[in-house]
Structure formats: C-alpha cells, structure tokens
Amino acid sequence: QVQLVESGGGLVQTGGSLRLACAFSGRTFSSYTMGWFRQTAGKEREFVAAISWSGRRLYYADFVKGRFTISRDNAKKTVSLQMNNLKPEDTAVYYCAAGSLGGGSNSGYDHWGQGTQVTVSS
C-alpha cells in the first residue's frame, strides 16, 4: 500500500518562504501524478499544484503562479513544494496526494497524507 508523509510546515512572516516535502512509501511512485492541496477552516479543500510522473508537466492554481514551485525526485520518492512570497491567505493545512489520473480535483487522487500546517503571519 501507499503511504504519504508531509513535512516542512511552520510559522513564517508575510513575504517569507517555506519548502514542503512529501515522502512516498510504496513500489510504484513513478506511476503517479503527485499533487498538493490545501484546506482552511470552513472551506473546501482546494488544488494548489501537481506534477506528472515524468516531471515534464507542471500545473498550478492561479493564486500561486509565480510564487510556488512543485518538483519531484523519483529516485528518492519525494515531491516538494517551494513556497515563496507567502501571504496570510496561504495559511492552511497542506496535503500531499498521489493519483493515477491527477488533475486539479480531489477525485483524481487515490492516496493522501495527513497534512502539514502552514501559518503566515501579517
């Protein structure tokens, strides 16, 4: 079975940076599109970014374009999210996900991590 574990969350001031990492346990990491989602209190989980199995195709939500970068290392079975110029509205629990279909909706992903908290202060 597949297990995902996020790390790297924390507290940062507006304009600061954080790098999230997701460790994948399983035998078929290269078969999955990897994605990042986030969720704040009282809101639906929303798509942030995704990367194809080959790393050739990258997808970003409009609200993070130019600020966040997703990457993957298939040898190490990890996916990362570099977050720059953070804003208070980026405050959320960030989830790593793996999916056979991928895309920008929850339904495209089969496995989810427990999440890591990101808090951006003003």
Side-chain angles (χ1 to χ4, degrees), residues 33-74:
T33 292
M34 301 298 298
W36 286 96
F37 292 75
R38 70 187 189 186
Q39 187 169 24
T40 58
K43 300 179 68 176
E44 297 290 329
R45 188 171 297 182
E46 62 183 355
F47 171 76
V48 176
I51 184 168
S52 66
W53 66 268
S54 66
R56 295 175 183 174
R57 292 181 289 276
L58 308 176
Y59 308 92
Y60 296 99
D62 287 342
F63 56 81
V64 303
K65 286 182 178 178
R67 299 190 298 125
F68 293 8
T69 302
I70 189 171
S71 61
R72 70 188 293 162
D73 187 331
N74 288 347

